[in-house]
Short mmCIF file of all heavy atoms in Angstrom, two decimals:
data_model
loop_
_atom_site.label_atom_id
_atom_site.label_comp_id
_atom_site.label_asym_id
_atom_site.label_seq_id
_atom_site.Cartn_x
_atom_site.Cartn_y
_atom_site.Cartn_z
N ASN B 299 0.84 -1.20 0.01
CA ASN B 299 -0.01 -0.01 0.01
C ASN B 299 0.86 1.24 0.00
O ASN B 299 0.93 2.02 0.94
CB ASN B 299 -0.91 -0.01 1.22
CG ASN B 299 -1.91 -1.13 1.12
OD1 ASN B 299 -2.13 -1.70 0.07
ND2 ASN B 299 -2.52 -1.47 2.24
N THR B 300 1.59 1.40 -1.09
CA THR B 300 2.42 2.56 -1.24
C THR B 300 1.85 3.46 -2.31
O THR B 300 1.18 3.02 -3.22
CB THR B 300 3.86 2.16 -1.60
OG1 THR B 300 3.79 1.34 -2.77
CG2 THR B 300 4.52 1.40 -0.50
N ILE B 301 2.20 4.74 -2.24
CA ILE B 301 1.77 5.64 -3.25
C ILE B 301 2.81 5.63 -4.38
O ILE B 301 3.98 5.79 -4.15
CB ILE B 301 1.60 7.08 -2.71
CG1 ILE B 301 0.44 7.09 -1.73
CG2 ILE B 301 1.39 8.09 -3.80
CD1 ILE B 301 0.16 8.45 -1.11
N LEU B 302 2.32 5.48 -5.62
CA LEU B 302 3.22 5.36 -6.76
C LEU B 302 3.32 6.72 -7.44
O LEU B 302 2.34 7.22 -7.95
CB LEU B 302 2.70 4.28 -7.71
CG LEU B 302 2.50 2.92 -7.06
CD1 LEU B 302 1.99 1.93 -8.06
CD2 LEU B 302 3.82 2.44 -6.47
N ARG B 303 4.49 7.25 -7.47
CA ARG B 303 4.69 8.58 -8.07
C ARG B 303 4.86 8.40 -9.61
O ARG B 303 4.94 7.33 -10.13
CB ARG B 303 5.97 9.22 -7.49
CG ARG B 303 5.88 9.42 -5.99
CD ARG B 303 4.94 10.54 -5.65
NE ARG B 303 4.67 10.59 -4.19
CZ ARG B 303 3.87 11.46 -3.62
NH1 ARG B 303 3.22 12.34 -4.38
NH2 ARG B 303 3.67 11.45 -2.38
N LEU B 304 4.90 9.58 -10.25
CA LEU B 304 5.01 9.53 -11.70
C LEU B 304 6.24 8.76 -12.16
O LEU B 304 6.29 8.23 -13.26
CB LEU B 304 5.10 10.95 -12.23
CG LEU B 304 3.77 11.73 -12.19
CD1 LEU B 304 4.01 13.20 -12.55
CD2 LEU B 304 2.75 11.14 -13.13
N SER B 305 7.28 8.69 -11.35
CA SER B 305 8.47 7.97 -11.74
C SER B 305 8.28 6.48 -11.58
O SER B 305 9.03 5.69 -12.12
CB SER B 305 9.64 8.40 -10.86
OG SER B 305 9.35 8.18 -9.49
N GLY B 306 7.28 6.03 -10.78
CA GLY B 306 7.08 4.62 -10.58
C GLY B 306 6.19 4.03 -11.67
O GLY B 306 6.57 3.16 -12.41
N LEU B 307 4.97 4.50 -11.74
CA LEU B 307 4.01 4.22 -12.79
C LEU B 307 3.33 2.85 -12.73
O LEU B 307 2.38 2.63 -13.45
CB LEU B 307 4.65 4.36 -14.18
CG LEU B 307 5.20 5.76 -14.48
CD1 LEU B 307 5.79 5.77 -15.88
CD2 LEU B 307 4.14 6.82 -14.34
N ALA B 308 3.80 1.89 -11.98
CA ALA B 308 3.09 0.62 -11.91
C ALA B 308 1.80 0.82 -11.13
O ALA B 308 1.75 1.51 -10.13
CB ALA B 308 3.96 -0.44 -11.26
N LEU B 309 0.76 0.17 -11.59
CA LEU B 309 -0.56 0.35 -10.94
C LEU B 309 -1.41 -0.90 -11.13
O LEU B 309 -1.54 -1.44 -12.23
CB LEU B 309 -1.26 1.55 -11.55
CG LEU B 309 -2.67 1.78 -11.05
CD1 LEU B 309 -2.67 2.11 -9.59
CD2 LEU B 309 -3.35 2.86 -11.85
N LEU B 310 -1.96 -1.38 -10.08
CA LEU B 310 -2.87 -2.49 -10.13
C LEU B 310 -4.15 -2.03 -10.79
O LEU B 310 -4.82 -1.14 -10.36
CB LEU B 310 -3.21 -2.99 -8.71
CG LEU B 310 -4.12 -4.22 -8.60
CD1 LEU B 310 -3.40 -5.42 -9.16
CD2 LEU B 310 -4.48 -4.44 -7.16
N LEU B 311 -4.50 -2.64 -11.91
CA LEU B 311 -5.68 -2.20 -12.69
C LEU B 311 -6.84 -3.15 -12.56
O LEU B 311 -7.98 -2.77 -12.68
CB LEU B 311 -5.29 -2.06 -14.17
CG LEU B 311 -4.64 -0.75 -14.53
CD1 LEU B 311 -4.46 -0.65 -16.03
CD2 LEU B 311 -5.43 0.44 -14.01
N CYS B 312 -6.60 -4.42 -12.43
CA CYS B 312 -7.75 -5.35 -12.34
C CYS B 312 -7.27 -6.64 -11.74
O CYS B 312 -6.08 -7.00 -11.75
CB CYS B 312 -8.34 -5.61 -13.73
SG CYS B 312 -7.19 -6.38 -14.90
N GLN B 313 -8.23 -7.37 -11.23
CA GLN B 313 -7.94 -8.69 -10.68
C GLN B 313 -8.29 -9.70 -11.80
O GLN B 313 -9.40 -9.78 -12.23
CB GLN B 313 -8.78 -8.96 -9.46
CG GLN B 313 -8.57 -8.00 -8.32
CD GLN B 313 -7.16 -8.12 -7.71
OE1 GLN B 313 -6.64 -9.18 -7.64
NE2 GLN B 313 -6.57 -6.99 -7.35
N GLY B 314 -7.34 -10.44 -12.27
CA GLY B 314 -7.57 -11.35 -13.38
C GLY B 314 -7.31 -12.79 -12.97
O GLY B 314 -6.13 -13.22 -12.84
N GLY B 315 -8.36 -13.56 -12.83
CA GLY B 315 -8.21 -14.95 -12.53
C GLY B 315 -7.48 -15.14 -11.16
O GLY B 315 -7.77 -14.47 -10.20
N ALA B 316 -6.58 -16.04 -11.13
CA ALA B 316 -5.89 -16.37 -9.88
C ALA B 316 -4.80 -15.41 -9.51
O ALA B 316 -4.40 -15.29 -8.39
CB ALA B 316 -5.32 -17.80 -9.95
N SER B 317 -4.31 -14.67 -10.52
CA SER B 317 -3.22 -13.74 -10.25
C SER B 317 -3.58 -12.37 -10.70
O SER B 317 -4.34 -12.20 -11.64
CB SER B 317 -1.93 -14.20 -10.96
OG SER B 317 -2.15 -14.22 -12.37
N ALA B 318 -3.04 -11.37 -10.03
CA ALA B 318 -3.36 -9.98 -10.36
C ALA B 318 -2.61 -9.56 -11.65
O ALA B 318 -1.45 -9.88 -11.84
CB ALA B 318 -2.95 -9.04 -9.22
N GLN B 319 -3.33 -8.86 -12.54
CA GLN B 319 -2.71 -8.26 -13.71
C GLN B 319 -2.21 -6.88 -13.35
O GLN B 319 -2.97 -6.07 -12.79
CB GLN B 319 -3.71 -8.17 -14.86
CG GLN B 319 -4.18 -9.51 -15.37
CD GLN B 319 -5.18 -9.34 -16.50
OE1 GLN B 319 -5.62 -8.24 -16.80
NE2 GLN B 319 -5.54 -10.42 -17.16
N VAL B 320 -1.00 -6.58 -13.65
CA VAL B 320 -0.44 -5.27 -13.37
C VAL B 320 -0.21 -4.56 -14.68
O VAL B 320 0.39 -5.07 -15.62
CB VAL B 320 0.88 -5.38 -12.60
CG1 VAL B 320 1.47 -4.00 -12.36
CG2 VAL B 320 0.64 -6.07 -11.27
N SER B 321 -0.74 -3.35 -14.80
CA SER B 321 -0.52 -2.53 -15.97
C SER B 321 0.04 -1.19 -15.53
O SER B 321 0.53 -1.07 -14.42
CB SER B 321 -1.86 -2.39 -16.72
OG SER B 321 -1.62 -1.75 -17.99
N THR B 322 -0.03 -0.22 -16.38
CA THR B 322 0.54 1.07 -16.05
C THR B 322 -0.43 2.17 -16.31
O THR B 322 -1.36 2.07 -17.08
CB THR B 322 1.82 1.33 -16.89
OG1 THR B 322 1.51 1.17 -18.28
CG2 THR B 322 2.92 0.38 -16.51
N ILE B 323 -0.23 3.30 -15.63
CA ILE B 323 -1.07 4.45 -15.76
C ILE B 323 -0.14 5.68 -15.70
O ILE B 323 1.02 5.56 -15.29
CB ILE B 323 -2.13 4.52 -14.64
CG1 ILE B 323 -3.26 5.49 -15.01
CG2 ILE B 323 -1.52 4.88 -13.33
CD1 ILE B 323 -4.43 5.42 -14.09
N LEU B 324 -0.57 6.82 -16.12
CA LEU B 324 0.17 8.05 -16.14
C LEU B 324 1.27 8.01 -17.17
O LEU B 324 2.10 8.90 -17.26
CB LEU B 324 0.74 8.38 -14.75
CG LEU B 324 -0.28 8.52 -13.63
CD1 LEU B 324 0.43 8.72 -12.29
CD2 LEU B 324 -1.23 9.67 -13.90
N GLN B 325 1.33 6.98 -17.99
CA GLN B 325 2.23 6.96 -19.14
C GLN B 325 1.32 6.79 -20.35
O GLN B 325 0.15 6.35 -20.24
CB GLN B 325 3.19 5.80 -19.04
CG GLN B 325 2.58 4.44 -19.23
CD GLN B 325 3.61 3.34 -19.30
OE1 GLN B 325 4.60 3.35 -18.52
NE2 GLN B 325 3.44 2.38 -20.17
N PRO B 326 1.78 7.14 -21.53
CA PRO B 326 0.94 6.99 -22.75
C PRO B 326 0.71 5.52 -23.07
O PRO B 326 1.56 4.69 -22.90
CB PRO B 326 1.77 7.70 -23.82
CG PRO B 326 2.72 8.58 -23.09
CD PRO B 326 3.03 7.85 -21.82
N PHE B 327 -0.51 5.24 -23.57
CA PHE B 327 -0.85 3.94 -24.10
C PHE B 327 -1.15 4.07 -25.57
O PHE B 327 -1.90 4.98 -25.99
CB PHE B 327 -2.05 3.35 -23.36
CG PHE B 327 -1.78 2.92 -21.95
CD1 PHE B 327 -1.97 3.78 -20.88
CD2 PHE B 327 -1.32 1.64 -21.67
CE1 PHE B 327 -1.76 3.37 -19.60
CE2 PHE B 327 -1.06 1.21 -20.39
CZ PHE B 327 -1.26 2.09 -19.34
N PRO B 328 -0.68 3.16 -26.40
CA PRO B 328 -0.93 3.26 -27.86
C PRO B 328 -2.36 2.90 -28.23
O PRO B 328 -2.99 2.08 -27.59
CB PRO B 328 0.08 2.30 -28.44
CG PRO B 328 0.30 1.26 -27.34
CD PRO B 328 0.17 2.04 -26.07
N ASN B 329 -2.84 3.54 -29.29
CA ASN B 329 -4.08 3.14 -29.92
C ASN B 329 -3.98 3.44 -31.40
O ASN B 329 -2.89 3.87 -31.87
CB ASN B 329 -5.29 3.87 -29.30
CG ASN B 329 -5.13 5.38 -29.29
OD1 ASN B 329 -4.83 5.98 -30.33
ND2 ASN B 329 -5.30 6.01 -28.10
N ALA B 330 -5.05 3.23 -32.18
CA ALA B 330 -4.97 3.32 -33.61
C ALA B 330 -4.60 4.72 -34.08
O ALA B 330 -4.04 4.89 -35.18
CB ALA B 330 -6.30 2.89 -34.23
N ALA B 331 -4.90 5.74 -33.30
CA ALA B 331 -4.62 7.11 -33.71
C ALA B 331 -3.32 7.68 -33.19
O ALA B 331 -2.87 8.73 -33.67
CB ALA B 331 -5.80 8.01 -33.29
N GLY B 332 -2.76 7.04 -32.18
CA GLY B 332 -1.53 7.56 -31.56
C GLY B 332 -1.39 7.04 -30.16
O GLY B 332 -1.23 5.83 -29.93
N ASN B 333 -1.47 7.94 -29.17
CA ASN B 333 -1.36 7.54 -27.78
C ASN B 333 -2.34 8.29 -26.90
O ASN B 333 -2.60 9.47 -27.13
CB ASN B 333 0.06 7.80 -27.25
CG ASN B 333 1.10 6.87 -27.84
OD1 ASN B 333 1.22 5.71 -27.43
ND2 ASN B 333 1.80 7.34 -28.85
N VAL B 334 -2.88 7.60 -25.91
CA VAL B 334 -3.75 8.22 -24.92
C VAL B 334 -3.04 8.26 -23.60
O VAL B 334 -2.13 7.45 -23.33
CB VAL B 334 -5.08 7.43 -24.78
CG1 VAL B 334 -4.86 6.05 -24.15
CG2 VAL B 334 -6.14 8.23 -24.06
#
């Protein structure tokens, strides 16, 4: 339970099956038009 700063960026996004999926936030994510 730590606060993740912009330099960290790892973030628990969803619980998937038996293990947690870890994704990222506050960084750009690609899509068909560019990045969000």
